[in-house]
């Protein structure tokens, strides 16, 4: 009797059923798509972070930079006899390996503290460095006098003859029989280096890369001058396994090439060398810049973070979730869109669908006043009427939920077929950038054959730096989780029951005599 009456009522009210089911379907489909895209964005963020911090890294530990502990701008000083002079041309070259600008170094004893903390499965330390090379040449000219200096960009220095200071924008008064540097051509090259613990294979930056050729580190490489290169960097510089490359003034042998396991073109660094070698090369013995930690269980990450913060009050302890906020690029925009607009839009549409279902159900009950009055007159109880109305609303909600699941699945398939590409980057280290060229061009107004002083060759040249990041191109993939489908069905059931409960309550308040009299 219940199902017969239910089928008849839904068949007679197809328009109402279609409207309620459509509203519910749109809401459910949107919930499924937004949750799937959110899952895809989260997975994409993890991919970006893995390219920087390593697969399985739950927590990273660093320290806040201070002027005394962080890497600064490289400074190159050339004395009066600096460089090699031949035929009036002086060639200058210098390389400096130091902590990456903005990177704080701290004692390796922190690693021991981390390993002793309960809940730590594995931990490894790294040292982030930058190798900044300055090279170029200046040409010296001769003459009897020089009345004014040219314009130079870069550092400061004293003209070799006469009175005055050149460098930047200024002039120099020339003396008798003097001369100066007629010009210069300089270049600055920087590369990022990561000193890694060769005995730790379970955590750290190298756990997120794939070996392209050669081999990675073994414990036997401790203290050796061997290097693993990023594949893209090696290709750009025509390096391969077995080649040699210079870091600072030390020659390293290339033992392997690695590439990111994601679709990114680069890994977290240009070069990877043994940690102890990196410490010696940079004169940072006993210093590290990061500690990467894997927890015993993913459910213990929050508790482990609190324990590490307590054990290391000066350290910055970050989880994958914390680091996700540092991801930039279009991936960051997509994350913001999903987390704000997408979530709120889902809530609003879902609330609207529930409201439509309730209003149409209550409206339907009002139009069925005579029907319910007659049913109560022939003996139907209030509970039976409530169950009948709730059953109709529940079926309408389930129909909408079923259609919504299908539409949501189609939407997910479309997203995965299109696979929009997002770019994401997570700041890792900083490298020296080019400031002004310290040579400049000599010139100005001269007397005789003398030349003005074009730039600073005898002084110190300082260069700026800029942040570097590992940029990853990620194809957005919206995963389908059974939990999302179950949540969608549950929402459809809740919507139907809510509408049915309110409509049934409205119907149960009708009195048979008043209902029949109002329609007579």
């Amino acid at each position: 009797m219940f199902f017969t009456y239910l089928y008849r009522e839904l068949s007679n009210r197809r328009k109402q059923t279609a409207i309620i089911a459509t509203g519910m379907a749109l809401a459910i489909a949107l919930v499924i798509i937004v949750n799937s895209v959110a899952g895809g964005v989260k997975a994409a963020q993890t991919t970006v972070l893995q390219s920087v911090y390593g697969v399985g890294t739950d927590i990273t530990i660093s320290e806040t930079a201070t002027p005394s502990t962080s890497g600064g701008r490289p400074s190159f000083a050339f004395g009066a006899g600096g460089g090699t002079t031949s035929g009036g041309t002086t060639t200058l070259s210098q390389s400096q390996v130091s902590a990456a600008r903005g990177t704080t170094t701290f004692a390796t004893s922190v690693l021991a503290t981390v390993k002793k903390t309960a809940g730590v499965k594995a931990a490894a330390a790294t040292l982030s460095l930058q190798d900044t090379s300055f090279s170029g040449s200046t040409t010296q000219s001769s003459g009897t006098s020089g009345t004014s200096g040219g314009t130079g960009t870069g550092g400061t220095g004293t003209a070799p003859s006469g009175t005055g200071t050149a460098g930047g924008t200024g002039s120099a008064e020339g003396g008798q029989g003097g001369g100066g540097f007629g010009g210069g051509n300089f270049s600055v090259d920087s590369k990022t280096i990561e000193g890694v613990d060769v005995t730790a294979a379970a955590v750290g930056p190298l756990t997120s890369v794939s070996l392209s050729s050669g081999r990675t580190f073994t414990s036997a490489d401790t203290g050796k001058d061997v290097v693993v290169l990023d594949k893209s960097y090696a290709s750009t510089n025509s390096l391969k396994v077995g080649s040699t490359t210079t870091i600072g003034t030390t020659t390293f042998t290339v033992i392997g090439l690695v590439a990111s396991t994601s679709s990114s073109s680069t890994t977290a660094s240009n070069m990877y060398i043994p940690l102890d070698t990196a410490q010696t090369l940079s004169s940072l013995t006993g210093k590290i810049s990061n500690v990467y930690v894997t927890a015993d269980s993913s459910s213990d990450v929050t508790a482990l973070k609190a324990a590490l913060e307590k054990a290391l009050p000066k350290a910055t302890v970050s989880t994958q979730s914390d680091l996700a906020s540092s991801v930039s690029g279009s991936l960051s925009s997509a994350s913001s869109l999903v987390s704000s607009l997408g979530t709120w839009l889902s809530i609003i549409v879902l609330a609207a669908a529930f409201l439509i279902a309730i209003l149409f159900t209550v409206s339907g009950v009002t139009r069925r006043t005579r029907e319910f009055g007659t049913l109560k007159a022939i003996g139907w109880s209030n509970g039976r009427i409530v169950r009948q109305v709730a059953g109709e609303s529940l079926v309408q909600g389930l129909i909408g939920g079923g259609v919504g699941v299908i539409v949501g699945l189609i939407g997910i398939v479309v997203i995965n077929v299109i696979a929009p590409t997002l770019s994401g980057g997570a700041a890792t280290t900083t490298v020296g950038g080019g400031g002004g060229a310290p040579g400049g061009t000599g010139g100005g107004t001269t007397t005789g054959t003398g030349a003005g002083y074009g730039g600073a060759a005898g002084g110190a040249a300082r260069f700026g730096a800029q942040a570097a990041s590992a940029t990853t191109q990620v194809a957005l993939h919206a995963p389908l989780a059974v939990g999302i489908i179950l949540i969608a069905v549950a929402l459809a059931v809740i919507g139907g029951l809510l509408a049915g409960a309110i409509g049934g309550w409205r119907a149960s308040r009708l009195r048979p005599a008043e209902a029949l009299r109002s329609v007579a």
Side-chain angles (χ1 to χ4, degrees), residues 87-161:
T89 298
T90 300
T91 301
L92 302 170
S93 179
Q94 195 173 113
S95 182
Q96 185 181 105
V97 179
S98 59
R101 187 184 180 192
T103 299
T104 304
T105 58
F106 47 92
T108 54
S109 57
V110 170
L111 179 62
T113 302
V114 171
K115 288 183 176 180
K116 291 188 294 183
T117 304
V120 173
K121 181 179 180 181
T126 65
L127 178 61
S128 297
L129 303 174
Q130 65 185 34
D131 179 10
T132 308
S133 300
F134 169 85
S135 61
S137 61
T138 61
T139 302
Q140 185 177 17
S141 60
S142 60
T144 58
S145 65
T147 60
S148 64
T151 299
T153 303
T156 61
T158 304
S161 176

Side-chain angles (χ1 to χ4, degrees), residues 84-306:
T84 302
T85 302
S86 176
T89 298
T90 300
T91 301
L92 302 170
S93 179
Q94 195 173 113
S95 182
Q96 185 181 105
V97 179
S98 59
R101 187 184 180 192
T103 299
T104 304
T105 58
F106 47 92
T108 54
S109 57
V110 170
L111 179 62
T113 302
V114 171
K115 288 183 176 180
K116 291 188 294 183
T117 304
V120 173
K121 181 179 180 181
T126 65
L127 178 61
S128 297
L129 303 174
Q130 65 185 34
D131 179 10
T132 308
S133 300
F134 169 85
S135 61
S137 61
T138 61
T139 302
Q140 185 177 17
S141 60
S142 60
T144 58
S145 65
T147 60
S148 64
T151 299
T153 303
T156 61
T158 304
S161 176
T163 303
T165 300
T169 301
S171 62
E173 298 272 336
Q176 291 296 321
F181 287 102
N185 183 20
F186 298 90
S187 64
V188 178
D189 179 55
S190 294
K191 51 195 173 188
T192 56
I193 306 161
E194 196 76 10
V196 298
D197 186 350
V198 297
T199 63
V203 64
L206 283 182
T207 58
S208 65
V209 301
S210 60
L211 184 64
S212 296
S213 61
R215 66 177 179 84
T216 54
F217 297 113
T218 64
S219 56
D221 293 318
T222 302
K224 293 186 177 180
D225 297 332
V226 291
V227 60
V228 173
L229 300 179
D230 171 75
K231 183 179 179 180
S232 297
Y233 176 82
S235 177
T236 302
N237 293 273
S238 301
L239 297 172
K240 60 183 180 179
V241 175
S243 300
T244 58
T245 185
T246 302
I247 302 177
T249 58
T250 306
T251 300
F252 282 74
T253 301
V254 180
I255 62 172
L257 304 180
V258 294
S260 175
T261 53
S262 68
S263 58
S264 63
S265 58
T266 60
T267 61
S269 185
N270 299 143
M271 300 178 168
Y272 301 88
I273 61 177
L275 177 59
D276 52 348
T277 302
Q279 292 170 331
T280 302
L281 191 66
S282 59
S283 300
L284 293 172
T285 304
K287 298 291 185 178
I288 56 177
S289 55
N290 292 286
V291 177
Y292 300 101
V293 182
T294 298
D296 283 330
S297 172
S298 58
S299 60
D300 297 335
V301 173
T302 302
L304 178 57
K305 176 184 177 181

Side-chain angles (χ1 to χ4, degrees), residues 26-39 41 332-351 415 491:
L26 292 176
I28 297 304
L30 187 60
V31 169
I32 292 176
I33 293 174
V34 167
N35 277 275
S36 293
V37 171
V41 169
S332 176
S333 300
S335 177
S336 300
L337 183 65
V338 171
S339 62
S340 55
L341 179 60
T343 301
W344 283 108
L345 184 60
S346 297
I347 294 174
I348 292 172
V349 173
L350 194 62
I415 292 174
L491 289 173

